[in-house]
Amino acid sequence: MNERLPVLKTYKLFIGGKFPRTESGRARALKGKAGRLIANVSLASRKDFRNAVVAARAAFPGWSGATAYLRGQILYRAAEMLEGRAAQFADELNAQGTPPARARREVADAIDLLVHYAGWTDKFPALFSTVNPVASAHFNFSVPEPTGIVAVIAPPAPGLLGFIAAIAPVIAGGNTAVALASPDFPLSAISLAEVLHDSDLPGGVVNILTGDLAELLPHLSTHMDVNGIAAHGQSDETHRLLRENAALNIKRLALHPATNLSGDPYKILAFQETKTTWHPTHLR
Amino acid sequence: MKPVPRYLQHSPPVDAVGITERVARFKTRSIKAATKVSGLKLALSMLDLTTLEGKDSPGKVRQLCRKAITPDPADPSLPHVGAVCVYPTMVATAHKALKGSGVHLASVATSFPSGLGTLAARLEEIRYAVGEGADEIDMVISRGRFLAGEFNYVFDEIAACKEACGTAHLKVILETGELHTYDNVRRASDLAMEAGADFIKTSTGKMAPAATPEVTLVMLQAIQDYHERTGRMIGMKPAGGIRDAKTALSYLVMVREVLGPDWLNPDWFRFGASTLANDILMQLAKQRTGHYASPDYFSND
C-alpha cells in the first residue's frame, strides 16, 4: 500500500473574518532548520492592507459599541480555544525554531496573557475615568473611549506570545486592529486567526497580514483611516519613519521594545481617547 | 394572449449566459495611473448626486448642491457632477442653490418609487417639478401593468409623461429588480425608447437588486440596436448599488465597448448614486497625495 500523502495547511491572510489569499498572488517560502521548507506564506500587498483597513473600519462600530463585559467574554473564549489547541501551537512554534520546552512555556504564557487582558476590559474604564472638580454647577467626568483602527506591528519574537502581547491590549480597549505578523513566526499568527475566528470575535476586529514590513510600512503609516500604530521591537529607523508619517493625520503611536511583553493596563490606555462630559447639577 | 405590439417586434430574446460571460470579462480590465484618474474624473462628472429620503430637508439639499458644484474643496480642479436628484418639493431649494453652476437638476416624479398614483396626479407632479426648475425628470413605469402584459398602457403613460415634461429630459426608470428576467428588461427598454424616453434608468434605488452590470449590459444593447435602427441616441443611467470607484470604472469600460466613445460623457451616461461620490473622491485623493484616504475627511452628503 502506498504511504498516505499528508494534507498540508495553506497559510493565507485573515481579513474581515475570512481567510483570503493575497490579492497579489505572491508567496514566500518559510524555511526551518537546515533549510527545510515549512510552508509557503502569503506575501501581503498594500492592497491587502487597504482591504484590511476597510474591514477594520466596518467592524469598529460594533466592537467599540459592544459591552465591556462581552469583549472580555470573547477574549476569554479565545484563551479557552487556545488552551485546547496548545499542543498544535507548541509544535508550530517548534517548527519555526523555538525549542520544544520553551515553545510549551510560551503557549502557556500567551494563554495567561490573553486571560489577563480579558479581565481588564470591564475594569480599565473605572481605573482611567475621573470625576473632575470644576468651579460651576456641573458634574464633570472623563471616560476613556477607543481610538479607532490601530495598525499593529508584532515583535520579531517570541512568535505567539509577542503577537498576543501586541494585539490584546488594542482590542481589549474596543479598537479594531490590522496586525502584521513577525516575519519569522507567520504561522503562529495565522493559526491564531483560526482561534479568533472560532471565538465569536466579530469579523474585521482583528485582521492579520503576513508580509514584508519594509514594503508595507509607507502605506501602513500614511493611511489616513488608520488612527494609531503600535510597533513592537522595531528599529530606530522604523520609529523615525513612523513618527514622521503619523503626523499626517496625527495617529497615536505606541513604540515598545520587543522585550516588553507583560500585561499592562497602560498599554490599553495607549489607544484610548478621553471624553469629558459636563452635566448640569440641580438648580438651586 | 394579446399580440405583441408593433413597437416591440424588434425585442429579441436575451442570451442570459452570454450576458454573464461578457460582464465577467469587463470586470477583468485593469485601469491604472493616468487613465484611472481621467476615468474617475469622468465618472465624477457623470454622477447624479441623489438624496431621496423621507427625512430630506432644505438644509440637506443645499449641502448636497454645494457638494455637486465643488465635490472636493481640497481639489478645485475636479469637475462638477452631472446633476442633483431630489424629490419635487425640494426642487425649488436645489434650483436656487445650483443657479449658474452648470449642474443639472433632476427630480423624481410620477409617484416615485411605486408609481401607483393616479395618472393625472403623476403628470401633475411632473409639471410641478418642471415648473419649480427641474430640467430632468426621473419617472417610474407601472411595473404591475407591464408584468400583466399591458404594454400599451405603459407605452401611453411614458408618452404622456414625455409630453408633460415639455423641454425637460425624461429618464424612464424600469425598476429592473421587479422585472425578474432579462427578456422583460429588454422589452421594457425598447418600449420606453419607442415611447419617447431620453434616458433609460435601471432602478429607483429603493429595492434590491438595483443596478447590476448584467442588467445594464442588456439595456446598453437595447440602446445600441435602437440607435442602429433609428439613428436616435438614448442615454443610460444605472442607479443604486454602485458604491465604489472600481465598479464605476468597469461600467465605463462597458459603455465604451458596447456603445462607443460617443456615449462617454454626462449627456449620455449617468450614475445614480450617493455613496459612490466619496469613494471616487477618496481614490482621486489617493492618486493626488500618494496615501490612502479616509472617509473622515469627506462630507457625508
Side-chain angles (χ1 to χ4, degrees):
Chain A
M1 195 184 124
N2 291 331
E3 208 179 310
R4 182 179 171 274
L5 276 174
V7 178
L8 298 176
K9 184 154 91 183
T10 310
Y11 288 86
K12 295 185 280 189
L13 308 177
F14 184 51
I15 298 175
K18 294 198 163 58
F19 292 87
R21 290 166 203 277
T22 164
E23 64 80 38
S24 65
R26 301 174 305 175
R28 169 175 78 93
L30 184 70
K31 299 280 173 62
K33 278 167 256 167
R36 194 177 58 83
L37 176 72
I38 307 172
N40 288 310
V41 182
S42 292
L43 202 54
S45 67
R46 65 181 171 87
K47 291 189 179 174
D48 293 316
F49 177 74
R50 174 199 64 187
N51 294 346
V53 172
V54 171
R57 178 55 68 196
F60 182 70
W63 184 243
S64 60
T67 62
Y69 177 72
L70 179 64
R71 287 204 302 269
Q73 290 282 299
I74 289 174
L75 291 186
Y76 188 81
R77 168 91 179 144
E80 286 175 1
M81 308 295 286
L82 201 50
E83 179 91 22
R85 290 170 61 170
Q88 180 210 332
F89 277 89
D91 288 349
E92 220 165 41
L93 282 171
N94 184 228
Q96 294 168 101
T98 310
R102 229 172 75 198
R104 279 195 300 277
R105 205 167 55 240
E106 184 185 329
V107 175
D109 287 348
I111 295 166
D112 292 350
L113 187 62
L114 202 50
V115 172
H116 175 87
Y117 281 112
W120 270 120
T121 56
D122 58 358
K123 296 169 192 69
F124 82 87
L127 194 64
F128 297 130
S129 293
T130 55
V131 174
N132 315 312
V134 289
S136 62
H138 287 90
F139 175 44
N140 184 292
F141 55 97
S142 300
V143 291
E145 289 188 343
T147 300
I149 300 179
V150 179
V152 177
I153 305 171
L160 181 65
L161 180 60
F163 190 82
I164 287 182
I167 62 161
V170 170
I171 58 172
N175 300 286
T176 55
V178 179
L180 185 61
S182 156
D184 299 329
F185 294 93
L187 308 191
S188 300
I190 297 300
S191 290
L192 182 67
E194 294 163 9
V195 165
L196 298 174
H197 188 64
D198 278 357
S199 309
D200 279 349
L201 189 79
V205 172
V206 173
N207 304 276
I208 301 176
L209 306 178
T210 53
D212 178 31
L213 177 65
E215 179 195 340
L216 294 175
L217 204 54
H219 306 287
L220 177 153
S221 55
T222 58
H223 198 308
M224 297 292 279
D225 212 24
V226 171
N227 307 111
I229 300 175
H232 297 257
Q234 301 304 316
S235 66
D236 289 347
E237 178 63 14
T238 300
H239 286 180
R240 195 186 56 77
L241 181 80
L242 287 175
R243 284 202 178 91
E244 212 169 281
N245 288 347
L248 257 180
N249 62 337
I250 324 178
K251 292 178 183 69
R252 280 200 183 281
L253 277 184
L255 308 174
H256 299 288
T259 49
N260 182 1
L261 302 171
S262 57
D264 179 356
Y266 285 93
K267 288 182 184 163
I268 301 179
L269 186 65
F271 294 104
Q272 298 291 313
E273 308 299 322
T274 301
K275 183 171 86 176
T276 295
T277 303
W278 295 69
H279 197 290
T281 52
H282 65 277
L283 300 170
R284 282 172 224 272
Chain B
M1 186 168 160
K2 288 178 197 165
V4 173
R6 275 189 67 80
Y7 49 82
L8 287 182
Q9 66 189 352
H10 297 292
S11 290
V14 178
D15 170 10
V17 173
I19 292 286
T20 311
E21 298 267 312
R22 195 164 175 205
V23 162
R25 265 177 288 153
F26 288 130
K27 288 180 183 166
T28 63
R29 304 283 194 279
S30 182
I31 297 172
K32 300 288 181 207
T35 317
K36 183 176 177 181
V37 170
S38 64
L40 289 172
K41 286 183 179 174
L42 181 62
L44 186 64
S45 75
M46 290 170 162
L47 270 185
D48 275 12
L49 212 52
T50 302
T51 181
L52 295 172
E53 289 171 13
K55 63 178 184 193
D56 283 352
S57 63
K60 184 181 177 189
V61 169
R62 275 193 293 271
Q63 156 68 18
L64 197 74
C65 292
R66 293 311 309 166
K67 182 156 185 160
I69 298 167
T70 314
D72 183 357
D75 186 359
S77 74
L78 296 182
H80 62 66
V81 306
V84 165
C85 183
V86 295
Y87 271 118
T89 48
M90 294 292 154
V91 168
T93 307
H95 182 63
K96 203 172 148 196
L98 293 173
K99 197 170 268 177
S101 66
V103 177
H104 289 286
L105 175 50
S107 173
V108 295
T110 72
S111 304
F112 181 92
S114 71
L116 289 177
T118 63
L119 186 58
R122 296 170 69 199
L123 295 175
E124 181 49 37
E125 203 181 353
I126 292 181
R127 284 189 284 267
Y128 169 78
V130 172
E132 295 282 285
D135 61 353
E136 299 178 357
I137 295 294
D138 290 27
M139 72 166 286
V140 288
I141 63 167
S142 299
R143 283 87 73 187
R145 298 278 193 143
F146 179 87
L147 292 171
E150 297 180 45
F151 302 126
N152 285 333
Y153 177 89
V154 179
F155 185 100
D156 291 345
E157 100 183 337
I158 295 172
C161 289
K162 174 67 184 165
E163 195 183 337
C165 282
T167 55
H169 275 211
L170 178 67
K171 303 194 199 110
V172 178
I173 304 174
L174 308 180
E175 192 64 307
T176 52
E178 290 186 342
L179 298 184
H180 301 296
T181 67
Y182 293 148
D183 285 346
N184 279 343
V185 172
R186 171 73 197 219
R187 272 190 182 178
S189 305
D190 288 340
L191 188 155
M193 291 186 291
E194 294 285 355
D198 297 301
F199 260 73
I200 51 177
K201 172 175 169 184
T202 57
S203 326
T204 58
K206 294 291 182 196
M207 68 163 293
T212 63
E214 287 81 4
V215 139
T216 305
L217 178 57
V218 171
M219 292 169 70
L220 290 175
Q221 287 177 341
I223 292 173
Q224 181 190 27
D225 290 347
Y226 183 78
H227 180 247
E228 271 179 21
R229 203 168 66 248
T230 66
R232 192 162 88 92
M233 279 173 82
I234 306 286
M236 173 69 202
K237 176 176 172 185
I242 305 169
R243 292 196 172 80
D244 58 75
K246 196 176 175 185
T247 310
L249 286 177
S250 76
Y251 274 84
L252 294 186
V253 169
M254 183 156 49
V255 173
R256 173 65 179 77
E257 294 190 12
V258 177
L259 294 177
D262 289 352
W263 265 266
L264 274 185
N265 70 65
D267 289 341
W268 300 108
F269 191 79
R270 296 278 182 80
F271 291 105
S274 38
T275 46
L276 174 61
N278 274 2
D279 198 57
I280 291 177
L281 295 178
M282 276 166 54
Q283 298 303 322
L284 284 167
K286 161 78 173 77
Q287 299 295 328
R288 191 174 72 246
T289 62
H291 43 254
Y292 287 114
S294 161
D296 286 355
Y297 302 90
F298 296 87
S299 63
N300 282 335
D301 295 310

